[in-house]
Amino acid sequence: MGKIDCTTESTSMEDFQLQITVNLTAVFALTKYLLPALKQEAKFSRNIGDSHGATVIHIGSIASFAAFPKLTPYCVAKAGVAHLTRIQSMEFAPHQIRVNCIQPATVITDWHNRAGMGKEKAARYYTNSHSAHPIGRSGTVEDIVQ
């Protein structure tokens, strides 16, 4: 979800709100409405002697803490996810619910293509991004879920 070349000046309020809704409000809402089940899972874990409780994992981005020109709404939303994670970590800790946030850099998906780069430009972007990553390549969805 999103577009490339979104500056403060060029982004409509509707596009800004869409980014906030998809990338931040949805994370808040899902966690809020799953909280009763998370508390129940943490309580069950304690009852069987498992001290780990329950876990929430938010998906952030390198854009959570790095500013990328022309991705203003996305960066703002992902910074919100990072801060929400810190707040929820403190709120949920008494219930033995951990909250963490994965903050990947470039991940090869169809997002860049759909956001306006097109397939060829997106492929070049991924290739050029390889050297910016310590592992020598852009990430994959599999890297995140493993």
Side-chain angles (χ1 to χ4, degrees), residues 28 80-94 99:
F28 176 84
V81 171
H83 203 63
L84 178 64
T85 301
R86 290 187 288 272
I87 293 167
Q88 288 179 340
S89 293
M90 293 186 297
E91 288 180 349
F92 299 174
V99 184

Side-chain angles (χ1 to χ4, degrees), residues 4 109-126:
I4 299 193
T109 66
D110 196 42
W111 184 88
H112 290 90
N113 175 39
R114 288 183 289 118
M117 275 189 172
K119 287 186 180 191
E120 287 182 23
K121 191 173 180 182
R124 282 194 307 274
Y125 170 77
Y126 293 133

